[in-house]
Amino acid sequence: MPQEQYPHRSTMQTSEGPQVYKVGIYGWRKRCLYFFVLLLMILILVNLAMTIWILKVMNFTIDGMGNLRITEKGLKLEGDSEFLKPLYAKEIRSRPGNPLYFQSARNVTVNILNEKTKVLTRLVTGPQAVEAHSQKFEVKTLSGKLLFSADDNEVVVGAERLRVLGAEGTVFPKSIETPNVRADPFKELRLESPTRALVMEAPKGIEINAEAGSLKATCRTELRLESKDGEITLNSAKIKLPNLPQGSSSSAGSRQKIYELCVCPNGRLFLSQAGSGSTCQINTSVCL
């Protein structure tokens, strides 16, 4: 072949004729270079295979990765998701028709902060109780009607009926103010104070009505009906006072069963056999 086809070779004219010098890498250096090139190609292929495997396992697509999908409205997660650090989002909601679950090994806390990152409202759902920390707590219907509210001053129940289903009833350590107290149909209404007095007060009157049954008032010491400015009216077809004491000044052998109702100066009532005139003065010994 012509000599001009070997540009990497240089020739020198000597007295004995042209001499050729080789320029390049030969010997063990050449073998090391080929080895490193081969090793680099193997690493590239392994890296490419690992990348493809990771993309396959993590389910990388043009829309997202794994259970995470990027849509026009935001991020969409399918299946169970776990966040190891805080999640900041404007809105979190489930797919239409599916529930939204928040699950934690200890508790779930929802905080409302102001511009100074100070907690204004906090809702804590823990293993022992559900706690709400706020200035006012309200429960409303879908139409906006208030059902329940509580703050430092009062607790308001806005429902038309408050039902207490406990077997022991309801205990009020202090006073209760309500326009109406009634039991369910065909159920018994019982107002009881086991160790203290039961006081009922109203500026315009108290009405106790049992339309389909009897009314019973029982106490251990005294039952007092008091009216400061008005009167007490017992309006009934029959009024019975079965345990009143009877006077003993009637004539011997009298069998009449007509009695006169008498009252002592201290307010005690007793019965005296009726006569042509009042016999209450004769039986004043009952008042002693």
Side-chain angles (χ1 to χ4, degrees):
M1 297 180 64
Q3 184 178 357
E4 54 268 13
Q5 295 183 2
Y6 300 93
H8 59 279
R9 296 182 178 180
S10 60
T11 60
M12 296 182 62
Q13 298 291 333
T14 62
S15 59
E16 298 178 356
Q19 187 176 0
V20 179
Y21 292 93
K22 298 181 179 179
V23 178
I25 300 175
Y26 299 95
W28 64 271
R29 295 184 181 86
K30 183 177 181 181
R31 289 192 294 270
C32 289
L33 179 61
Y34 288 160
F35 173 76
F36 283 122
V37 171
L38 179 60
L39 180 61
L40 181 61
M41 292 179 63
I42 293 174
L43 292 177
I44 292 175
L45 292 177
V46 172
N47 190 13
L48 181 61
M50 292 294 294
T51 303
I52 296 175
W53 180 77
I54 292 174
L55 293 176
K56 184 65 176 179
V57 172
M58 299 298 294
N59 195 14
F60 276 94
T61 61
I62 59 175
D63 296 329
M65 59 171 289
N67 296 331
L68 180 63
R69 295 289 181 268
I70 302 175
T71 62
E72 297 179 355
K73 298 181 179 180
L75 298 178
K76 180 180 179 182
L77 287 173
E78 297 179 352
D80 298 336
S81 301
E82 181 178 357
F83 299 94
L84 302 179
K85 294 185 178 181
L87 172 65
Y88 298 92
K90 182 179 180 181
E91 181 181 357
I92 300 176
R93 62 180 179 179
S94 63
R95 291 182 298 178
N98 293 333
L100 178 62
Y101 293 99
F102 290 95
Q103 184 175 356
S104 174
R106 301 189 64 179
N107 57 40
V108 176
T109 304
V110 179
N111 293 332
I112 305 299
L113 309 178
N114 59 5
E115 61 277 2
K116 297 181 180 180
T117 66
K118 182 180 179 180
V119 178
L120 300 178
T121 302
R122 175 180 297 172
L123 178 63
V124 181
T125 59
Q128 301 296 332
V130 177
E131 300 179 3
H133 303 265
S134 63
Q135 295 182 353
K136 189 174 183 180
F137 179 76
E138 292 184 352
V139 178
K140 295 183 179 180
T141 61
L142 294 178
S143 60
K145 181 181 178 181
L146 180 64
L147 294 179
F148 179 85
S149 68
D151 55 16
D152 294 338
N153 298 323
E154 63 179 1
V155 176
V156 179
V157 179
E160 296 180 358
R161 176 180 297 181
L162 175 62
R163 299 185 62 186
V164 180
L165 303 179
E168 298 296 331
T170 306
V171 178
F172 298 97
K174 296 185 179 180
S175 63
I176 175 175
E177 181 179 350
T178 178
N180 188 11
V181 178
R182 64 180 180 181
D184 287 339
F186 307 105
K187 298 294 183 179
E188 183 184 45
L189 176 62
R190 187 173 183 178
L191 302 178
E192 181 180 3
S193 179
T195 58
R196 293 293 184 269
L198 178 61
V199 181
M200 302 175 66
E201 297 180 354
K204 294 185 178 180
I206 297 175
E207 180 180 355
I208 302 176
N209 187 12
E211 297 181 355
S214 60
L215 177 63
K216 183 179 180 181
T218 305
C219 66
R220 182 172 295 275
T221 55
E222 293 183 357
L223 176 63
R224 178 179 299 179
L225 301 177
E226 182 179 352
S227 178
K228 295 182 179 179
D229 298 331
E231 61 183 10
I232 297 176
T233 302
L234 301 177
N235 186 6
S236 176
K238 187 180 295 184
I239 299 177
K240 293 183 178 182
L241 301 173
N243 295 326
L244 291 181
Q246 297 181 8
S248 59
S249 64
S250 60
S251 59
S254 175
R255 296 182 178 179
Q256 68 174 12
K257 296 182 179 180
I258 301 175
Y259 296 90
E260 180 182 359
L261 179 64
C262 304
V263 58
C264 298
N266 58 4
R268 185 179 183 183
L269 298 177
F270 67 94
L271 297 177
S272 178
Q273 289 187 355
S276 59
S278 176
T279 59
C280 292
Q281 297 297 329
I282 304 174
N283 296 279
T284 54
S285 60
V286 181
C287 298
L288 298 177

